Amino acid sequence: MKILVIGSGGREHALVWKLAQSPHTQRLWCAPGNAGMTLERCAGSGLEAECVPIAADDLDGLLRFALERHPDLTVVGPDNPLAMGVVDVFQQHRLRIWGPNQRAAQFESSKAFSQNFMAVHGVPAPEAGVFTDPHAAKRFAAKLGGRCVVKADGLALGKGVLLAYSQAEADQAIEEIMLRRAFGSAGEQVVIQELLEGYEISLHALCDGHVAKLFPTAQDHKRAFDGDQGPNTGGMGTYSPAPFLTEDELLTTARMILEPWQRGCAAEGIDFRGIIYPGIMLTSNGPKVLEFNARFGDPETQVYLTRLENDLVELLDASVSGTLRDLELRWSGHASVCVVLASGGYPGAYAKGYPISGLESVAALPDVKVFHAGTIVKDGDFVTHGGRVLGVTAWAETLADAQAAAYAAADLIRFEGMQFRRDIAAKALGHGALLA
Ligand code: AMP
Ligand code: GLY
């Protein structure tokens, strides 16, 4: 098969790496891709994956490329093209593409849509309201005692969410998003949720319009600095499995969330094919959905795909065809840890173009894979080209060993200004861990 992957981050490198291992894969293109992807070779042909300079949100460019080169499957990584309707456009041209269509992608592209859906279909969620009027928003925040989360409705690159611990902070957050438009037109409408406390986990399920196949647990680390301090980022590291739920609790949690979600989709005629990824808070009143994403998490994908034993081409193909029912997802018993190496200053302003050293030493290590995110090749060398630069991923029988291996590898890599968290998976190990 010829496969086109849309996107350029660590998630997409992990997808390319895993798709390349399938004997079905003859040819892989990445639009626009990153420097790491060109290191992958297709198992079916020995050919290297190729980057094509088309932006992930250039729907016309992507369509032109697909009509010329006829990929047998296109795999969409990021949320933006999904929200823009890339799946619908490709389908109109009879091109096979994996990911939710524009209507289904609203679970991520509109927080108001998701909030209303959860209320109507009984998906456990925080107490919340949807507002276009800042005065009404402030009144609702006051009802919650000022302890609330103010979320811009539309996509805001993982930002667009402000936490308030008092009425003054809530008012300020509402003004910031609705009046000063800190996140642009995404702030025309806001969702205000009660502020929940508990452990946060990521759930992923692969859907085919009929069934949803649950992944194991993973946990992301969204804050920039150790001890969950500093600003929110796209994600500074992940590990899987997360030991806060037993296998039974995971199934119960998933049932409480995915069953009403699936019934709701069926009732509303939403044909969801792709990954549904609810961000969940495990509270003393049970699990609650903070948000839905309609794609693979980044960097969750890096830990999931280093544990997945199935052929990913077959899984995604079945997700498109509606034939997932008979497939069983198989996961290695290993734990996997991904540590993101970021540019100094990220998630704020950062410089680019610094040479990266140590990649060859890490490539020689067993059970370690460096997924590139923000890299390009310049004069034959890998140089930094983004906020999140690399995702150093290691797997081992125990979480402690996977963590040690990921950090040993990260310590071999250097670039000017490199920053990373030292405590990825520490919460799980402190927890006493399932994975003894
Ligand atoms: P979201 O983009 O909606 O996942 O929000 C980003 C981050 O804000 C989440 O990962 C949580 O850490 C935090 N957050 C979002 N909603 C809530 C909530 N209702 N209560 C507490 N924290 C929240
Ligand atoms: N891991 C965070 C995200 O993909 O949204």
Side-chain angles (χ1 to χ4, degrees), residues 38-315:
T38 56
L39 302 171
E40 310 304 339
R41 282 179 188 277
C42 303
S45 64
L47 290 176
E48 281 169 9
E50 276 171 70
C51 292
V52 290
I54 307 170
D57 58 3
D58 176 6
L59 263 49
D60 291 340
L62 292 167
L63 179 63
R64 253 195 319 275
F65 178 86
L67 289 172
E68 270 167 30
R69 310 299 286 268
H70 303 290
D72 300 294
L73 181 67
T74 296
V75 174
V76 191
D79 49 10
N80 217 1
L82 294 171
M84 292 166 76
V86 69
V87 170
D88 311 64
V89 169
F90 270 48
Q91 284 173 343
Q92 280 153 19
H93 289 83
R94 300 184 171 281
L95 291 160
R96 206 167 159 72
I97 182 164
W98 177 82
N101 59 32
Q102 192 170 29
R103 182 152 179 252
Q106 282 181 99
F107 281 107
E108 176 158 10
S109 63
S110 169
K111 289 184 188 283
F113 170 87
S114 275
Q115 200 64 52
N116 290 331
F117 181 98
M118 291 194 283
V120 171
H121 297 291
V123 178
E127 191 182 338
V130 178
F131 303 94
T132 48
D133 168 22
H135 299 293
K138 286 182 184 178
R139 279 197 298 276
F140 185 75
K143 241 181 65 190
L144 297 172
R147 288 177 60 81
C148 65
V149 183
V150 186
K151 303 186 176 189
D153 176 47
L155 292 181
L157 293 171
K159 299 171 188 154
V161 173
L162 299 177
L163 273 56
Y165 295 89
S166 66
Q167 185 64 41
E169 283 178 8
D171 289 353
Q172 211 180 349
I174 290 164
E175 286 168 19
E176 197 60 27
I177 294 181
M178 302 192 83
L179 302 178
R180 289 193 285 281
R181 292 290 163 93
F183 309 108
S185 60
E188 274 166 27
Q189 185 162 243
V190 294
V191 171
I192 299 189
Q193 294 178 336
E194 66 176 309
L195 186 78
L196 295 176
E197 283 173 11
Y199 281 112
E200 210 179 321
I201 57 162
S202 305
L203 283 190
H204 279 53
L206 180 63
C207 307
D208 71 349
H210 312 284
V211 299
K213 296 274 181 174
L214 184 65
F215 283 24
T217 47
Q219 190 177 46
D220 189 9
H221 297 66
K222 292 202 170 146
R223 302 293 199 94
F225 309 132
D226 286 2
D228 292 331
Q229 301 296 308
N232 261 323
T233 68
M236 293 299 287
T238 40
Y239 62 95
S240 172
F244 311 115
L245 294 175
T246 62
E247 199 67 18
D248 278 352
E249 287 166 342
L250 170 62
L251 288 178
T252 310
T253 302
R255 209 166 290 137
M256 285 173 71
I257 289 164
L258 291 178
E259 284 183 6
W261 176 79
Q262 282 183 285
R263 275 198 302 274
C265 285
E268 298 203 13
I270 296 172
D271 184 10
F272 196 102
R273 296 175 195 232
I275 291 279
I276 189 75
Y277 152 19
I280 291 171
M281 191 76 90
L282 302 172
T283 75
S284 49
N285 289 323
K288 312 264 182 191
V289 176
L290 302 180
E291 62 156 359
F292 280 110
N293 300 297
R295 51 165 175 90
F296 273 108
D298 186 351
E300 284 87 343
T301 309
Q302 290 84 322
V303 289
Y304 280 138
L305 296 188
T306 49
R307 296 190 59 210
L308 181 70
E309 290 182 339
N310 300 71
D311 181 321
L312 185 61
V313 173
E314 289 175 8
L315 288 187

Side-chain angles (χ1 to χ4, degrees), residues 390-409:
L390 300 167
V392 180
T393 309
W395 53 98
E397 223 154 281
T398 67
L399 189 59
D401 287 347
Q403 185 199 44
Y407 279 111

